[in-house]
Amino acid sequence: MQNFNFVNPTRIIFGKGTISRLGPEAAKAGKKALLVYGGGSIKQNGVYNELTASLKKSGVAWVEHAGVKPNPVLSHTREGIAKARENACDLIVAAGGGSVIDEAKAIAAGARYDGDVWDFFSGKAGIKDALPLFTALTLPATGSEMNAGCVVTNAELAQKYSAHAAPLFPRVSVLDPETTMSLPPAQVANGAVDAIAHLIESYFTTADRDVEVTDELVHALARSVITSTGRILKDPKDYGARASMMWSATLALNGLAGCGYGGTSFPNHAIEHSLSALYDIAHGAGLAIVMPAWFKVHLEKAGPERLEKFGAAVFGVKGAPAAIEAFEKFFKAAGAPVRLAEAGIPAADIPRIAENAMGLIALWGMKLKKTEVEQILKKAI
Ligand code: NZQ
Ligand code: ZN
């Protein structure tokens, strides 16, 4: 096991009927919130009413910043920063999925920075400070509710880049599994694939293959995501499955599931962000296309050991090829695309996708070459 530091300052309030707990928490940090949300799902499922009633009761006024797009964009983020400044907001409240929380994080940091917020994503500047952030999560997937990362797309440059810094950890995140019951099946699938992706990146790129505790944590979380997904797709009102899925997805990317691995990287994510940047496809859908292809190249280059271990522990299958098949079978059963063509992406675009991915690969300090990215993508045809 490699040396590691682990800290996670986000307070989680988990369970039925907990949205109303966010107002009193927010009131500890300020009096005027920028309320960030997406295209309206929170108005349909009751989260908006519950949350705003709680803010009101707690004496927190708010200014709304609605319309965050899935794969949030820089232009809308800049508008949010201007709004937070003009209205002297002293905190941010975000309600929705990873896109809403990510844009809220970028606004929180941008509002406390004199330059342009894209500097944090392009690597020009580091985040030193941010407005306090409170979140109500409605889509289990990204872990953004309990981590210090955010992803924003610069549509003009076709760059989907990320920023990471301790001030971005939400102060408090409320996770009410009942709010996820309104998710369409496709978003359930996207979320499940993303959570699996967060578990496998470090597991398969670890510098140290003798970290039994983290391996077993990863196996358990992956089994929980897979079992919960099956139950949710069968019965969307299955509270136990919704709750397990929500907490599993959070734990998959809050830092715990990588402790001790050392020197890990996120190759599937780097390639997927290029697909989302160029074709605006959902993050989970892009990952379901990239992962089976990446596993095939991983098997050739790194050998069967990790695939065999994961396959036996999670899917109950023997051998590396059977493990890759089991991943693909799960993604398909959940309803995610597993080949470029299924997402309408032509194979002829592979060089362009690989070229785009090289930006993030360089920023994340990964060793992957363009030819290797092309080699992976060719296995996704
Ligand atoms: O916009 P609204 O109306 O809220 O609808 C959303 C959106 O259309 C809808 N939705 C969310 N909760 C719902 C709901 N619909 C019905 N009922 C609910 N309870 O779902 C759609 C997708 O939402 P989005 O937030 O885009 O999905 P997700 O949570 O998967 O977030 C994806 C974004 O997060 C980034 C991805 O790259 C992508 O941009 N990621 C962030 C990470 C992080 N911060 O740590 C790590 C990840 O690897 C990922 O890169
Ligand atoms: Zn992800």
Side-chain angles (χ1 to χ4, degrees):
M1 187 180 318
Q2 305 285 299
N3 293 357
F4 65 89
N5 288 318
F6 175 75
V7 63
N8 195 309
T10 301
R11 180 162 170 225
I12 297 292
I13 299 177
F14 189 98
K16 282 182 195 180
T18 48
I19 296 291
S20 60
R21 303 266 299 275
L22 205 56
E25 294 296 334
K28 293 177 194 166
K31 290 206 168 317
K32 195 167 193 187
L34 186 75
L35 175 59
V36 183
Y37 60 95
S41 70
I42 63 161
K43 293 206 165 157
Q44 279 148 25
N45 61 17
V47 169
Y48 177 88
N49 284 345
E50 233 180 296
L51 180 57
T52 50
S54 163
L55 290 173
K56 202 168 179 183
K57 202 169 158 196
S58 309
V60 178
W62 69 91
V63 177
E64 303 207 359
H65 182 58
V68 174
K69 269 171 40 66
N71 296 329
V73 290
L74 178 62
S75 52
H76 195 258
T77 306
R78 286 180 178 142
E79 285 170 27
I81 292 167
K83 220 180 268 180
R85 284 194 182 134
E86 278 158 23
N87 293 284
C89 294
D90 46 11
L91 72 151
I92 312 271
V93 174
S99 295
V100 166
I101 297 176
D102 281 6
E103 182 168 320
K105 285 177 173 175
I107 293 170
R112 289 263 171 96
Y113 176 61
D114 284 340
D116 179 32
V117 66
W118 188 247
D119 293 351
F120 300 138
F121 296 85
S122 64
K124 194 175 158 193
I127 295 170
K128 304 268 186 302
D129 195 11
L131 290 172
L133 171 66
F134 297 80
T135 88
L137 178 72
T138 64
L139 196 174
T142 64
S144 188
E145 66 281 4
M146 201 181 183
N147 70 36
C150 64
V151 182
V152 168
T153 298
N154 182 330
E156 281 163 30
L157 302 178
Q159 290 173 337
K160 183 178 179 181
Y161 285 1
S162 64
H164 305 256
L168 295 183
F169 276 110
R171 291 266 175 103
V172 178
S173 285
V174 170
L175 278 60
D176 179 345
E178 283 187 323
T179 67
T180 70
M181 289 186 183
S182 55
L183 280 167
Q187 296 300 349
V188 173
N190 290 338
V193 173
D194 193 22
I196 292 288
H198 298 153
L199 292 166
I200 65 98
E201 296 273 37
S202 301
Y203 183 97
F204 283 91
T205 62
T206 177
D208 191 329
R209 293 186 173 192
D210 184 15
V211 192
E212 204 54 33
V213 56
T214 305
D215 281 2
E216 290 290 34
L217 196 61
V218 167
H219 297 154
L221 290 171
R223 283 197 303 268
S224 165
V225 169
I226 291 165
T227 309
S228 304
T229 305
R231 281 173 56 176
I232 290 165
L233 293 175
K234 214 162 133 203
D235 175 11
K237 299 285 173 213
D238 182 339
Y239 179 82
R242 292 285 187 183
S244 274
M245 173 65 109
M246 202 168 202
W247 189 224
S248 302
T250 300
L251 292 174
L253 199 60
N254 77 343
L256 257 190
C259 289
Y261 284 152
T264 57
S265 63
F266 271 56
N268 293 281
H269 274 73
I271 300 172
E272 192 298 305
H273 283 206
S274 169
L275 294 181
S276 287
L278 294 170
Y279 308 98
D280 199 20
I281 65 169
H283 178 59
L287 286 167
I289 295 167
V290 176
M291 275 191 282
W294 182 83
F295 281 130
K296 287 173 193 158
V297 174
H298 171 84
L299 176 57
E300 285 167 14
K301 293 193 173 157
E305 190 198 322
R306 296 300 272 172
L307 274 162
E308 282 171 359
K309 185 170 186 181
F310 192 98
V314 176
F315 297 114
V317 299
K318 207 166 168 235
I324 299 174
E325 256 174 58
F327 272 111
E328 197 168 306
K329 204 168 141 200
F330 169 65
F331 299 155
K332 273 192 197 165
V338 292
R339 293 290 180 274
L340 290 167
E342 289 172 42
I345 300 171
D349 284 9
I350 286 177
R352 180 174 168 239
I353 301 165
E355 182 60 41
N356 185 288
M358 293 317 289
L360 203 50
I361 285 167
L363 274 172
W364 285 355
M366 288 164 51
K367 290 202 175 73
L368 217 51
K369 294 194 192 82
K370 191 180 161 207
T371 47
E372 292 172 301
V373 177
E374 289 181 359
Q375 184 194 2
I376 293 163
L377 287 165
K378 280 181 190 154
K379 293 196 187 291
I381 294 174

